[in-house]
Amino acid sequence: MCGIVGYVGNKEAQRILLSGLRRLEYRGYDSAGIITAGRNGETLLREKGKVAELDKKVAESEHNDIIGIGHTRWATHGEPSERNAHPHHVGDIYLVHNGIIENYQDLKEVLADRGYEFASETDTEVFTALIDSIYQAQDKKDLHQAVVDSLQMVIGAYGIAVMAKGNLDEIVVARKGSPLVVGVGEEEVFIASDPSALVGHTDQVVYLRDDEVATCSKDGVHLTDATATKVDTVVEKLELDIQAIQKKGYDHFLLKEIFEQPETLRSTLNGRVLKEQDLLRLGGLNMTDDELREVKNVFIIGCGTAYYAGMLASYFIEQFTDDVVIHNAIASELRYRSFNVPENSVALFVSQSGETADTLACLQEMKRRGVKCLGIVNAVGSSIAREVDGGVYVHVGAEISVASTKAFTSQAVAMLLFGLVIAQAKGMSLKELRPYIAELDILPDEIQSTLNSQNEPIKTLAKKYAHYEHALYVGRDSLFPVALEGALKLKEISYIQSEGYAAGELKHGPIALIDDKFFEMAFVSDNWLYEKTMSNIIEMKARGGHIITVTNSEKAIGTEEVVRVDTKLELLAPLIFNVASQLFAYYVAVERGNDVDQPRNLAKSVTVE
Ligand code: F6R
């Protein structure tokens, strides 16, 4: 959460920092700020609201500065306000911080005794004062050492960038549990909490690991561990281009990302599903066939949309395995439960960002217990990707819109591939495998034709339902996770209160909600559960429900509206229903005039628990 940027070099720091913050704004947009320095001293500018507000302030106070750090905030301690915005400034120190310092109250008391006064309610200001108190006590000013010493005293998570008054040469950065990457250019260095801010500046990057501290200067990056002992710097090539982080003519990133799904899915499948050879290959699992054969339990762990993708994948995998038990778990719950892990378990950690704090905490716990841990991750080089024993990158490219869409589709498919690889190792025959390969092969085209045929009708439909304030989403079997995901998508971008339910559960409570303020979205598959789900629809209709049915059946339905999705898929049909549901949520949110890509109160990667 929150975005950090930094720059030291010979160019205009203010403009570079602002453009970096605009790219990172999806990580938090409660307030923003920058501190830059040059021959005329330091300029600190902060503003409540989005980066555009800060931009206006910078325009009034432009400086030709050559070093600086900046931040866009998702509030944890203290309301969104200019006073609580970063960078924080105490004494000689300026600091931007992602994460939470848990012992900040204790530190605040100690620092107050030493005469420090605090202008904000934030843990970050206390952290700034702590570094300043150490810095002031040094005979010879050494910012790197002051940061190292301060880190011995803080408990919590951080990604930080620090500058000192009068020091035009260095920015010191450090991380523990919150990502930071340093881009190295010609006599210049860029700092960011997410590599998308570096695109167009340099493709040479150094990913900081936990407990590392780096001094960044025009000469490059000087890296140490938490005891100030030198660590080798590994420079990697950043595989992200400018196209991937632009809207490419779409009104919103969300719509672009929905429409990218055929292509991003092909990237997920590329080199993994070899139709000609009837072969599935997952290179990064780091598991032998013997190990795969042994698997009896699969834990699938994630949060939000990633959790629902895991749930959907478990319905898929259960179709073709008879000795594998799947345990779906919400990471923020599992980490505080005293759960048992049976023998022969593997754990999958599903995360677009690869940084979700709760998912990461579960990973660390599973590793502590000696469980084989695999990532289903999008962000290459992210914390989860680095800590797992192996896994499957979903390769959907940058997902900028806060609401996750293309990642969901590819996560579910990547986990299906994992299930098939286990089944193959356990003896699934080619004859049994082929129908799944055939479905995977046509899935991207089927998504494309759904997008082509449904975009306009769903846009019109959304206009009709955008004024409702409540919604119920229902489905059975593998359409139940689609109902949950559909309700989540609608609520987070349209702010319509929407709940997902298993259709068979309606009579156990939710049906009492139905009245004229509600509409209902029912997903109905033309399979052995068709009649059962139709009975639920009829029950809702009898109680005055305003029902939209999404179905691949050609039979007469008789609800207020019907969305017909035309698909030859069986196992994977839910992914087609889900695309229709994504379009619906998008157009409802647009119709309501909402900020679709940056919904209120949210942020893209959730690095606080
Ligand atoms: C919803 C959404 C969130 C994320 C969740 C996990 O549209 O985006 O529910 O799915 O915060 O994030 P990752 O996948 O980055 O771990």
Side-chain angles (χ1 to χ4, degrees), residues 190-205:
F190 304 83
I191 296 155
S193 47
D194 178 325
S196 62
L198 306 180
V199 176
H201 293 302
T202 177
D203 62 0
Q204 299 296 299
V205 297

Side-chain angles (χ1 to χ4, degrees), residues 184 214 275 410 512 539:
V184 188
K275 192 177 168 228
S410 284
E539 286 151 14

Side-chain angles (χ1 to χ4, degrees), residues 302-308 350-357 359 376 384 399 401-405 407 411 485 488-489 492 602-606:
C303 294
T305 287
Y307 168 71
Y308 294 144
V350 192
S351 178
Q352 187 286 127
S353 63
E355 301 294 348
T356 301
T359 310
I376 306 292
I384 293 176
E399 197 182 59
S401 182
V402 166
S404 186
T405 50
Q411 284 161 348
E485 168 60 7
L488 173 60
K489 217 80 314 168
E492 71 180 320
L602 291 173
K604 184 69 179 165
S605 76
V606 185

Side-chain angles (χ1 to χ4, degrees), residues 165-183:
K165 203 173 176 52
N167 183 343
L168 293 183
D169 299 324
E170 295 169 342
I171 298 170
V172 176
V173 295
R175 81 159 266 177
K176 184 181 205 139
S178 191
L180 270 183
V181 54
V182 181

Side-chain angles (χ1 to χ4, degrees), residues 301-542:
I301 300 160
C303 294
T305 287
Y307 168 71
Y308 294 144
M311 221 174 137
L312 179 58
S314 63
Y315 279 87
F316 292 162
I317 297 170
E318 280 161 6
Q319 299 287 310
F320 51 77
T321 50
D322 48 19
D323 70 337
V324 176
V325 182
I326 312 218
H327 312 264
N328 290 102
I330 298 173
S332 56
E333 282 296 309
L334 186 73
R335 68 178 292 190
Y336 300 113
R337 273 166 52 192
S338 53
F339 59 97
N340 298 318
V341 183
E343 296 253 302
N344 302 323
S345 291
V346 296
L348 303 186
F349 298 89
V350 192
S351 178
Q352 187 286 127
S353 63
E355 301 294 348
T356 301
D358 289 317
T359 310
L360 191 57
C362 291
L363 164 58
Q364 282 152 357
E365 175 58 18
M366 285 291 194
K367 275 179 84 171
R368 196 187 63 75
R369 297 187 190 203
V371 178
K372 182 91 178 173
C373 292
L374 302 173
I376 306 292
V377 170
N378 185 37
V380 177
S382 56
S383 301
I384 293 176
R386 279 163 189 272
E387 289 202 25
V388 286
D389 302 310
V392 189
Y393 274 123
V394 295
H395 291 315
V396 300
E399 197 182 59
I400 307 274
S401 182
V402 166
S404 186
T405 50
K406 59 180 179 173
F408 173 88
T409 302
S410 284
Q411 284 161 348
V413 165
M415 286 181 268
L416 165 64
L417 294 182
F418 176 67
L420 286 169
V421 166
I422 293 184
Q424 256 185 315
K426 286 176 185 277
M428 181 186 245
S429 69
L430 270 186
K431 191 165 164 255
E432 289 165 315
L433 180 65
R434 272 187 201 129
Y436 300 113
I437 294 195
E439 287 218 2
L440 287 165
D441 192 47
I442 60 170
L443 181 62
D445 287 344
E446 287 238 353
I447 292 180
Q448 187 64 62
S449 66
T450 306
L451 289 168
N452 296 347
S453 63
Q454 294 301 330
N455 188 43
E456 285 305 320
I458 289 179
K459 193 175 184 174
T460 309
L461 184 72
K463 287 196 171 88
K464 180 171 167 190
Y465 288 88
H467 69 279
Y468 282 90
E469 287 307 326
H470 312 279
L472 257 180
Y473 277 59
V474 297
R476 277 180 186 265
D477 192 57
S478 54
L479 289 175
F480 171 42
V482 171
L484 292 170
E485 168 60 7
L488 173 60
K489 217 80 314 168
L490 186 74
K491 76 175 73 144
E492 71 180 320
I493 59 174
S494 74
Y495 317 143
I496 293 175
Q497 184 231 342
S498 41
E499 304 304 332
Y501 266 95
E505 282 288 291
L506 280 172
K507 287 193 284 289
H508 300 284
I511 203 162
L513 290 169
I514 291 176
D515 66 12
D516 272 344
K517 297 190 203 80
F518 264 83
F519 75 86
E520 298 77 33
M521 173 82 85
F523 299 105
V524 188
S525 211
D526 193 8
N527 62 14
W528 77 104
L529 285 168
Y530 176 84
E531 301 297 342
K532 298 270 177 228
T533 319
M534 279 314 294
S535 310
N536 303 133
I537 289 181
I538 289 162
E539 286 151 14
M540 290 195 289
K541 209 176 150 190

Side-chain angles (χ1 to χ4, degrees), residues 201-252:
H201 293 302
T202 177
D203 62 0
Q204 299 296 299
V205 297
V206 179
Y207 290 96
L208 253 71
R209 286 168 295 203
D210 274 351
D211 296 315
E212 285 183 345
V213 184
T215 293
C216 307
S217 69
K218 279 197 267 186
D219 300 333
V221 189
H222 169 76
L223 208 60
T224 75
D225 65 13
T227 62
T229 309
K230 190 175 180 316
V231 172
D232 284 342
T233 309
V234 182
V235 181
E236 297 178 39
K237 188 162 173 5
L238 179 63
E239 308 284 353
L240 198 64
D241 65 23
I242 198 90
Q243 287 280 329
I245 54 171
Q246 289 173 341
K247 284 191 202 149
K248 289 199 207 150
Y250 287 93
D251 287 345
H252 297 99

